[in-house]
Amino acid sequence: MADSLVAPSFADDVLVVVPARGGSKRIPRKNIVDVCGQPMICWPLMELAKIVHPDQLIVSTDDAEIKELVEDKGLSVPFLRPKSLSDDFTATLPVIHHALNWYENHVRKVTYVLVVYPTAVMIDCADVLRSYQTLRENELCDVVFSATSFAFPIQRAIFEDESGYVSMFHPEFHSARSQDLQEAMHDAGQFYFFRSGSIKLGRELPNAKARICKLDRSRVADIDTIEDLEVAKSQLIRANKDKPFLQWSF
């Protein structure tokens, strides 16, 4: 995280959507749980404040407490997400489509939509801007998203069978050297930069033309459990140990 805010860096053809539902089973109130002195959602919002004008950002939430917290930071929450898009089984894309429709009906049309999860506590605006440039320069690309490498070659993954014995998913790679195996990556769960038209057409993996913004594993925190949360806190402390704590707003 940078020490001072910079001027907004996006053209006005970009909408930023942060989907922040109130409910969470494994970590109650996850999106606003305390993380190193800030509600979790404030970490990505604080980073976005460096490059995003407030009228380009929508926090899509069904929760009055999240709405109040976000508005205290200088952002408008123009609607509460309908219940039909707020249960445990709602996918992200319909939520983003709903926010995009609202924005284009009430504010202006946009060409690009940046989606940032509230759990993206390690997000860096430099990666976001790099992805924005990649998307603008590749007309056939539907989305650019954050990804990182697996820590261990997936070609050597194993599983237990019904009898409790171990087998390899790909035994043909048993004797292969790690350096000879193709590097595998996975979604880092931080952000997704879409063309707005791709959202309207429902294009997401696996039916989208996608590129990645590769992140170092040390900057990726997938927060689904209490254990994940503690790891994320440690990462944030290490990343910000020499930086002053910011009092910030949009």
Side-chain angles (χ1 to χ4, degrees):
M1 310 286 178
D3 294 339
S4 60
L5 304 184
V6 298
S9 302
F10 289 147
D12 62 7
D13 62 349
V14 176
L15 168 64
V16 182
V17 182
V18 179
R21 190 169 66 93
S24 177
K25 294 291 192 294
R26 286 177 287 185
I27 304 177
R29 310 293 290 160
K30 179 173 75 170
N31 288 328
I32 55 174
V33 71
D34 184 271
V35 179
C36 299
Q38 294 261 33
M40 184 183 292
I41 193 174
C42 287
W43 286 101
L45 289 179
M46 181 166 60
E47 189 70 7
L48 290 170
K50 302 171 186 176
I51 57 174
V52 176
H53 194 278
D55 71 0
Q56 291 178 269
L57 194 152
I58 287 180
V59 174
S60 173
T61 185
D62 61 324
D63 187 272
E65 185 180 2
I66 294 176
K67 181 179 188 294
E68 181 179 1
L69 186 156
V70 169
E71 290 182 334
D72 284 346
K73 290 298 184 181
L75 286 170
S76 171
V77 180
F79 58 81
L80 284 176
R81 192 195 306 174
K83 291 182 179 180
S84 61
L85 293 175
S86 303
D87 62 31
D88 292 338
F89 304 101
T90 301
T92 299
L93 198 64
V95 172
I96 305 310
H97 197 177
H98 173 265
L100 173 61
N101 279 342
W102 185 94
Y103 193 83
E104 292 197 326
N105 286 332
H106 292 84
V107 184
R108 58 176 169 265
K109 302 291 184 182
V110 294
T111 307
Y112 307 99
V113 180
L114 170 65
V115 181
V116 177
Y117 284 138
T119 52
V121 297
M122 298 293 292
I123 194 170
D124 190 313
C125 60
D127 297 322
V128 174
L129 292 174
R130 184 155 50 97
S131 299
Y132 180 43
Q133 182 176 358
T134 298
L135 190 59
R136 288 170 62 92
E137 292 176 351
N138 291 270
E139 294 183 359
L140 297 179
C141 185
D142 293 309
V143 59
V144 180
F145 67 96
S146 59
T148 193
S149 60
F150 282 94
F152 188 85
I154 64 169
Q155 295 88 342
R156 291 204 181 125
I158 60 176
F159 65 94
E160 283 186 314
D161 63 22
E162 293 179 355
S163 300
Y165 291 101
V166 172
S167 296
M168 293 186 69
F169 282 100
H170 299 285
E172 67 271 24
F173 295 117
H174 176 262
S175 300
R177 299 186 308 166
S178 296
Q179 60 265 40
D180 294 332
L181 297 174
Q182 184 172 0
E183 182 182 48
M185 288 169 282
H186 63 86
D187 186 347
Q190 283 195 3
F191 64 85
Y192 310 82
F193 227 133
F194 285 93
R195 294 188 185 278
S196 60
S198 299
I199 291 176
K200 295 171 184 177
L201 292 172
R203 290 179 183 162
E204 58 179 341
L205 291 179
N207 67 339
K209 289 187 177 296
R211 291 179 179 263
I212 64 167
C213 175
K214 188 176 179 182
L215 309 182
D216 188 271
R217 288 197 299 270
S218 66
R219 294 199 296 109
V220 175
D222 187 14
I223 306 174
D224 287 322
T225 67
I226 295 296
E227 291 78 12
D228 295 336
L229 182 60
E230 294 307 313
V231 171
K233 289 179 180 179
S234 297
Q235 288 176 298
L236 269 175
I237 290 169
R238 287 195 299 271
N240 293 279
K241 64 179 181 179
D242 298 323
K243 300 175 183 178
F245 189 82
L246 286 176
Q247 295 297 325
W248 68 278
S249 63
F250 275 84

